[in-house]
Amino acid sequence: MARAAESPGIAAGINQIEGYLLLQSEREAARERARRLTGRLDWLTSAQRAEVERAYVQDQLAVTEQTLRTVVRRCEELRAEYQEVYRTLRHRLLLACLLGAAALAGGLAAALTVR
């Protein structure tokens, strides 16, 4: 999705919707994993089954949240590293262009003085 042309408010809204959908998807996946787990434990009562499923979903969502926080932190670190590399490359390119222009101007000046 090309978000560069979108206003910050629209981009933030889209990010919120994506986050909400991701959370709902993960919540449903955790519920399904909990149901599969408790389905193998046929000795549980209905109340125990519900409690195990609730605890499992809660734990899974906590793990997912921690994982996402770790990924976000690493993305921010990589963004900072890449921005620094990009900044360094831009400075080098600018310096090379300036040196090339100076050399060209010097060569042109020398050629004009010889004539």
Side-chain angles (χ1 to χ4, degrees):
M1 203 179 274
R3 294 197 179 151
E6 297 173 358
S7 73
I10 292 173
I14 290 172
N15 286 339
Q16 285 181 329
I17 291 169
E18 287 178 344
Y20 174 79
L21 293 174
L22 176 65
L23 175 62
Q24 294 307 311
S25 174
E26 179 54 31
R27 187 171 283 150
E28 186 53 40
R31 286 183 187 131
E32 179 57 33
R33 289 190 301 270
R35 285 189 289 270
R36 282 197 315 263
L37 172 67
T38 58
R40 294 187 305 240
L41 306 174
D42 54 358
W43 47 268
L44 290 174
T45 66
S46 296
Q48 290 171 331
R49 184 178 314 276
E51 179 58 24
V52 168
E53 288 178 6
R54 185 201 61 75
Y56 184 90
V57 169
Q58 184 179 8
D59 287 348
Q60 287 294 296
L61 292 177
V63 168
T64 298
E65 181 181 0
Q66 184 57 43
T67 301
L68 289 174
R69 289 184 189 281
T70 301
V71 168
V72 166
R73 187 172 48 253
R74 183 62 182 143
C75 287
E76 290 169 349
E77 290 170 359
L78 287 173
R79 178 182 296 139
E81 289 176 27
Y82 288 138
Q83 285 175 338
E84 184 58 34
V85 168
Y86 180 68
R87 189 175 305 114
T88 301
L89 290 173
R90 274 194 338 231
H91 289 138
R92 287 180 184 172
L93 179 61
L94 177 61
L95 181 61
C97 288
L98 290 174
L99 290 174
L104 183 61
L108 185 58
L112 289 176
T113 57
V114 171
R115 289 185 177 187

